[in-house]
Amino acid sequence: MHATDTGPRARVVTADDGYAPFPVRATPGTWGLTRTVVSTPTGAVVVHHRAGPDPLLLLHGVAGSWSTWTPLLTAAGGVGDRGLVLVDLPGWGSSPAPDGPFGIDRVAGVLTAVCDALGVGTVDVVGHSMGAFVGMHLAVVAPERVRSLALVSGTTVATARAARHPLRALRSLPAFTLLRAGLTVTGAAALPVLRGLDRIGLLPLLAAPVFTHVRRLDRSVLDAFVDELRPERFTDAARAAAACDVDRWCGITCPVTAIAGRDDVFARVSDLDALRSLVPRTRTVLLDDCGHFAHVERPDAVARVLGLV
């Protein structure tokens, strides 16, 4: 497996760590995390956190929660003694649905409120998929809070365009567009369908486009994929992406690292070039043999790229 830095100074990082070597574990004590419920302007959110220097704020994607990050934490040895803030975004994980519509400004306000409640000032933000999109917006509206930003399998420029023009996106980003359409039609009924497919052994077939080697995954990864997917929140997030002006990202001044899997069907590899055009300080890394969950499929490589080990 090769991770290729596509920035001005290209480099190749070789890793032989195996595919998806670690399970998803909802065991906060393993990393010294404390579970806290924080009141925010949109309602309560659940946070797992640990005090320490140079805190990391980890933001999950649409089929995730705080526990989705545990393979990366395992690969990084718990990131030493650094502080950790893992948020279940409003309506995901254990956090209740927000009071009112899901909007990118409101989510940024939630994150600011969480950091204030925990006494955390500046953070290094690491976001997966939708969490990367949220992290970019946080760096725009609260630049004083974001020391650096890492996008892991981020849904960014191509996703925003696909969300605005779904018919056109059937060609440019078909997996995202078809999933959005399916979840919009089925809504909450999608979850019983997924669980039914799981019972008869067809879930790997459905999840195959998301992961490069779905049958090599630990069972806990697929369990989390089903348990953490929130169909109605997915469609809310797609609407928020459609309304986002990505040109505002040009104002981001902190260092940005964007990591993408070559096999990702929910984000385009061309997003790496697009991000570097919008944010010149962006370092871009492409992981071979990797799909949409780089921090689960290739956690060792991601940990090294981000300097967590």
Side-chain angles (χ1 to χ4, degrees), residues 61-86:
V62 296
S65 70
W66 78 270
S67 65
T68 318
W69 291 106
T70 56
L72 180 63
L73 292 180
T74 302
V79 299
D81 64 348
R82 293 184 67 174
L84 287 170
V85 181
L86 296 90

Side-chain angles (χ1 to χ4, degrees), residues 36-62:
T36 301
V37 179
V38 177
S39 296
T40 78
T42 67
V45 294
V46 174
V47 182
H48 288 81
H49 64 98
R50 182 181 76 198
D54 303 323
L56 288 164
L57 172 62
L58 303 178
L59 306 175
H60 62 78
V62 296

